[in-house]
Amino acid sequence: MGIFIKSYIKEMKLISHDIGIILFLAFLPLAYPIIYSLIYNPEQVRDVRMVVVDHDRSALSRELVRNLDATQEIRIIGYAADLGEGKHAMNSHKCYGILEIPEGFEKKVGRGESSPAVLYSEMSLLLRYRGFLVATTNVAQAMGSEILTEKINESAPIAETLVTGDPLGVHNVTMGNLESGFDSFIMPGVLVLILQQCLVLAVGMTGGAKREKPWQFADIDRATAGGTFKSIAGGALAYLTVIIVPCIYMLHYVPMMFRFPMAGNPWEIQLFILPMVIGSIALGMIFQAACRERESVFVLWVVTSVAFLFLSGLTWPRYAMAPFWKGLSDLVPATFGVEGFIRMNTNGATLAQVSGDYIALWIQAVGYSIIAFLVQRFYVMPSRIKALKDPGRVAIP
């Protein structure tokens, strides 16, 4: 039996009999996307309770309150006599926001002066503050445009036929995220990061398992350089075989279940993600040099998971990163995977339109594969052979 086939079979057997590796390749890809998506679902908060402290008690202030109550983000539950009473209601969680309308609000607006109302928000949930801010801004702009229109018509009645509404209407359309939800914004990128992390950690744990039981791969470890290449290729094919179903599930069915934007071609998306999967497997084989025990991979998890998230550009745009960090992010397969997947799945880009990211992923896949070959050939495999010669380090059954 050739080394390639033998390596594939042994790798599959090791994967299927190791509960830790099964956890990384089966449970995490299946469960983590569901858990993370549920955390941020529903994507928007609606009818968040607010009280009003109205020092003006005018027709305009009442109109402002009615317009705010009509929005989907805010529900006015009543008036407070003063700001202290409003804060007491917020501290007791009867409401999560306070709108304070100053005295003389209508008169100042009528004179064309600025009379800002003050918004207070409880900050335990950022989505509530975002809803308050969006609703109050939209209502203020709409009322401001109506007042401006009335003034124009009063000063120039002949213009009434021309100016009867918002003189400068602005319609905000968030492309690729019509609900402007946090889940639809961040989860597509997180799915790619989970896929990369599962592969890197599973392959790394395999390296620790092989060092704990080096006799299982002794015949392959003694192979020549050509045999090493076949051994690595056989092992990589085993991981590709196992990850096919989780990959389709994560990148196609999870967005479908949670109604994330899905504008791309699913087959092109799988073809795009292939070099990232290969690069992640090769990166895991490189990390095997640091995994002397199966548990060593958990240290890699703690060290790399947060770093990969920040470097991907999800939390901070890559164009705003310092040159050092941007260069470091270029070395992570998920960086280009996240960029390309979001553009394809969310905005409907074709594979040709993300060719830059696609080529970068293939360059990474080839580069990491070469490095993985050198690490395996000259360090990992010789260390396992050396362990066989030292009975004190290995308990052979």
Side-chain angles (χ1 to χ4, degrees):
M1 186 184 298
I3 293 178
F4 176 82
I5 301 299
K6 184 183 293 185
S7 175
Y8 175 82
I9 294 174
K10 286 192 173 186
E11 203 82 26
M12 288 293 290
K13 186 180 295 185
L14 178 61
I15 293 172
S16 61
H17 287 79
D18 193 306
I19 188 63
I21 300 173
I22 294 174
L23 179 71
F24 285 129
L25 291 178
F27 176 75
L28 294 188
L30 294 176
Y32 264 39
I34 300 296
I35 295 172
Y36 285 0
S37 298
L38 288 175
I39 290 174
Y40 300 112
N41 212 284
E43 300 192 59
Q44 291 183 333
V45 291
R46 305 182 189 278
D47 291 329
V48 182
R49 298 188 296 274
M50 173 185 281
V51 298
V52 177
V53 180
D54 189 355
H55 298 294
D56 194 47
R57 297 286 179 172
S58 62
L60 186 63
S61 67
R62 289 192 293 271
E63 182 183 358
L64 173 62
V65 174
R66 285 196 302 270
N67 289 339
L68 287 174
D69 191 39
T71 64
Q72 64 179 2
E73 292 88 0
I74 294 176
R75 177 163 64 93
I76 303 296
I77 63 172
Y79 287 84
D82 52 32
L83 188 59
E85 185 179 340
K87 289 181 179 179
H88 178 72
M90 181 182 289
N91 293 335
S92 59
H93 299 291
K94 294 179 180 178
C95 70
Y96 298 96
I98 303 171
L99 181 70
E100 185 180 22
I101 302 175
E103 187 176 357
F105 176 74
E106 186 177 46
K107 291 182 179 179
K108 289 183 179 179
V109 172
R111 292 197 299 263
E113 300 175 7
S114 176
S115 181
V118 182
L119 171 67
Y120 300 91
S121 175
E122 197 250 14
M123 295 299 292
S124 62
L125 184 63
L126 190 61
L127 289 177
R128 293 194 192 107
Y129 168 73
R130 177 183 176 276
F132 286 147
L133 185 63
V134 169
T136 52
T137 301
N138 290 340
V139 168
Q141 288 180 342
M143 292 183 65
S145 66
E146 291 177 2
I147 294 171
L148 178 61
T149 299
E150 292 176 1
K151 287 186 174 296
I152 293 175
N153 292 333
E154 289 175 359
S155 60
I158 195 173
E160 186 170 359
T161 58
L162 301 177
V163 184
T164 58
D166 189 352
L168 185 61
V170 178
H171 299 279
N172 182 25
V173 179
T174 307
M175 295 183 63
N177 188 358
L178 297 180
E179 292 190 6
S180 299
F182 188 74
D183 209 5
S184 295
F185 163 70
I186 197 170
M187 275 308 298
V190 171
L191 292 176
V192 177
L193 285 167
I194 293 174
L195 179 62
Q196 174 192 259
Q197 202 74 343
C198 289
L199 284 167
V200 171
L201 297 175
V203 178
M205 178 171 281
T206 304
K210 289 178 181 179
R211 289 200 180 193
E212 291 176 355
K213 301 177 181 179
W215 60 87
Q216 292 184 349
F217 289 80
D219 53 341
I220 296 177
D221 290 345
R222 294 190 180 96
T224 61
T228 302
F229 175 78
K230 294 177 182 178
S231 171
I232 294 174
L237 182 61
Y239 290 104
L240 282 173
T241 304
V242 174
I243 206 64
I244 288 175
V245 173
C247 189
I248 296 174
Y249 164 78
M250 291 175 61
L251 303 184
H252 182 70
Y253 287 102
V254 170
M256 183 184 297
M257 285 188 290
F258 290 94
R259 298 182 180 180
F260 298 151
M262 294 182 65
N265 185 309
W267 297 111
E268 285 193 348
I269 290 174
Q270 297 298 327
L271 186 61
F272 170 81
I273 218 69
L274 175 63
M276 196 208 81
V277 171
I278 296 174
S280 299
I281 294 172
L283 190 60
M285 290 183 176
I286 296 172
F287 280 154
Q288 285 183 358
C291 296
R292 295 187 173 274
E293 297 86 18
R294 296 169 68 258
E295 294 76 13
S296 302
V297 75
F298 293 103
V299 178
L300 292 177
W301 189 337
V302 174
V303 172
T304 60
S305 57
V306 177
F308 287 162
L309 173 63
F310 284 107
L311 292 174
S312 67
L314 277 177
T315 57
W316 185 256
R318 294 182 69 238
Y319 64 80
M321 292 182 181
F324 171 79
W325 296 111
K326 188 174 184 299
L328 190 60
S329 70
D330 289 340
L331 301 177
V332 181
T335 298
F336 298 106
V338 167
E339 289 183 355
F341 177 70
I342 290 176
R343 287 162 61 188
M344 295 180 73
N345 195 60
T346 302
N347 295 324
T350 63
L351 189 61
Q353 291 172 323
V354 294
S355 58
D357 296 322
Y358 193 50
I359 293 172
L361 285 174
W362 276 115
I363 292 174
Q364 285 183 336
V366 173
Y368 283 132
S369 296
I370 294 173
I371 297 173
F373 169 80
L374 297 175
V375 171
Q376 293 285 324
R377 178 73 178 88
F378 296 105
Y379 182 77
V380 176
M381 291 183 176
S383 67
R384 291 202 294 259
I385 294 174
K386 183 179 180 181
L388 280 173
K389 299 176 181 179
D390 186 357
R393 295 176 57 187
V394 179
I396 301 178

